[in-house]
Amino acid sequence: SIVPTCTSRLPSHPLTLYIMSTTWPAPELDGWTYAHNTIRLDEADLLATVARLNEKAQAGEHVEDWEIEALQTHWKVCYGFIEEHHHNEEAFIFPMIETKVSLPDKMSDDHEVIENQVQLIDGLVKSLNPDRISDAAKAATKDFMLSPTSINVHSTLKVNVRLAETLAKLYEAIATMQESMDPHLAEEEAMALPAMHSNFTPAEVKPIMDKMVAAMEWWALPHFYRQHKVINPATGAKDWDRAAIREHATATLGMPGFVFDFIIFPTFKRYDLEYGWAIEESKDPSQRAHFEARRRSASTWFRATRKALARVSGRRGVLSGKNIDAAAQFDPKPALAPQNSATLLGH
């Protein structure tokens, strides 16, 4: 199941136009399995990022503001994906399957256990603050000093204990979620997915899928396909494997090619700007400069496009919608004459 949410929906829900195949795909290609693989990927990447940051904090190295913000950005989209994926299962998929076959109560019970852990993680992530302690310590002229009563060398670097402790708790919380989540996903793939494939046709499931798709957040599909990012030989950074994504979207999900090319894939660029690049540089800080350059390039393109549209449309900006001529004819109020204390007193 792909992740729907309540706001920022795709205009006119174009994905509801797709026609599902007459036969089910291989289990590993099913959208349900793809969503599970996205969650597994998020777990692994988040654990690696938190472990790296905790190691820095424990060593007294400064954890940059952007590193904390990138971690929070990754968790934000991961959190939304998990929440709505489970909502889809509880509200749509499980009830549909159980009209023909019973599912273990444990599948829904697992959601409650996982949800408690998700909320714990969310609180820890939101509690992360900029690392100001080790930042101040960087200003020290000496990293080491001798104790007045000993020849032992003591470090003067200050460890942000609160940050280190929070990151350690966060790592443990994500690992605990993974311990519950992964067996749960595997059980669904072993029992619920075959039950759907053997008792329903794709055409019978499509009305249910349409309800989920109609409420889908714009970032859901790019995040769903995050597993199809590969190293670009030209840059050394990860980028979309567009051919593989298009093949799955059109051949497996049944999406028309023009919908993918002109409506769906353009949202992948926005996803990168708001989420994707932050996730990649959080995993590999050496890629930070590359993605910063791409952000600047995107910003420059946006400003140039806005100016070009303003010249063509006669408006000062796409966002403001102010008419240039109207602005030029506007007669501003004359500036107030300067006043001193004597003027104010009537002298």
Side-chain angles (χ1 to χ4, degrees):
S1 57
I2 300 175
V3 180
T5 57
C6 298
T7 58
S8 300
R9 301 180 180 115
L10 292 168
S12 303
H13 315 313
L15 290 186
T16 60
L17 300 175
Y18 75 86
I19 302 172
M20 294 182 69
S21 303
T22 56
T23 58
W24 289 111
E28 65 272 16
L29 296 177
D30 193 274
W32 203 345
T33 306
Y34 255 59
H36 287 179
N37 288 339
T38 297
I39 294 172
R40 292 180 177 112
L41 180 60
D42 281 334
E43 290 173 336
D45 287 346
L46 285 166
L47 283 172
T49 296
V50 174
R52 181 182 64 79
L53 296 183
N54 190 34
E55 184 178 349
K56 287 186 68 175
Q58 293 282 5
E61 298 178 27
H62 178 56
V63 177
E64 302 288 344
D65 288 1
W66 72 261
E67 293 180 289
I68 293 177
E69 292 167 1
L71 171 59
Q72 291 171 327
T73 296
H74 187 180
W75 171 250
K76 179 181 177 181
V77 71
C78 174
Y79 173 85
F81 196 90
I82 291 173
E83 291 290 287
E84 294 306 325
H85 176 73
H86 286 172
H87 169 75
N88 285 346
E89 292 175 337
E90 294 288 346
F92 300 107
I93 302 298
F94 290 174
M96 179 192 68
I97 293 175
E98 290 185 326
T99 61
K100 294 188 177 182
V101 62
S102 296
L103 294 174
D105 292 339
K106 182 177 180 297
M107 286 191 184
S108 291
D109 294 342
D110 284 347
H111 286 172
E112 295 183 17
V113 174
I114 294 170
E115 176 62 19
N116 290 335
Q117 200 63 23
V118 166
Q119 294 303 323
L120 173 61
I121 295 169
D122 192 54
L124 289 170
V125 171
K126 289 177 178 177
S127 72
L128 292 170
N129 293 312
D131 183 10
R132 294 292 175 253
I133 294 178
S134 60
D135 190 31
K138 289 195 304 182
T141 58
K142 294 181 180 180
D143 287 346
F144 298 97
M145 63 178 290
L146 290 177
S147 167
T149 59
S150 171
I151 61 172
N152 295 327
V153 177
H154 298 274
S155 172
T156 62
L157 293 178
K158 295 183 179 179
V159 175
N160 189 334
V161 176
R162 178 176 295 179
L163 176 60
E165 288 180 347
T166 301
L167 288 169
K169 291 178 181 177
L170 181 57
Y171 184 92
E172 181 181 359
I174 297 172
T176 300
M177 180 186 73
Q178 187 182 46
E179 291 173 0
S180 300
M181 178 76 80
D182 287 4
H184 168 74
L185 301 180
E187 184 180 35
E188 289 180 342
E189 291 164 6
M191 299 183 67
L193 181 59
M196 182 175 73
H197 283 190
S198 61
N199 289 280
F200 299 87
T201 66
E204 290 174 322
V205 174
K206 187 176 186 301
I208 298 296
M209 293 297 178
D210 285 349
K211 291 179 181 179
M212 295 189 294
V213 168
M216 189 170 66
E217 185 78 63
W218 69 267
W219 48 257
L221 204 59
H223 196 69
F224 174 81
Y225 279 121
R226 193 169 79 82
Q227 56 203 283
H228 278 302
K229 278 200 166 186
V230 295
I231 297 293
N232 184 336
T235 63
K238 279 196 171 184
D239 215 335
W240 300 107
D241 185 348
R242 178 171 179 163
I245 297 169
R246 193 180 194 278
E247 172 66 19
H248 184 268
T250 56
T252 301
L253 299 185
M255 186 186 303
F258 76 91
V259 172
F260 177 83
D261 292 332
F262 298 105
I263 299 176
I264 301 305
F265 197 70
T267 66
F268 284 51
K269 296 179 180 179
R270 179 183 172 190
Y271 171 86
D272 271 340
L273 276 168
E274 297 190 24
Y275 300 105
W277 293 342
I279 293 173
E280 295 303 326
E281 64 193 8
S282 182
K283 292 161 48 183
D284 183 2
S286 68
Q287 298 297 327
R288 168 73 171 172
H290 168 77
F291 291 120
E292 278 290 88
R294 293 182 68 174
R295 288 186 182 97
R296 288 192 295 270
S297 177
S299 178
T300 300
W301 176 89
F302 177 78
R303 287 195 300 269
T305 302
R306 185 171 58 181
K307 289 179 180 178
L309 289 174
R311 288 193 294 269
V312 171
S313 65
R315 296 181 179 276
R316 296 199 313 190
V318 174
L319 299 180
S320 67
K322 295 179 180 178
N323 187 284
I324 293 177
D325 294 335
Q329 296 172 2
F330 177 68
D331 184 19
K333 294 181 180 179
L336 294 176
Q339 295 179 324
N340 56 31
S341 57
T343 303
L344 293 174
L345 293 173
H347 296 295

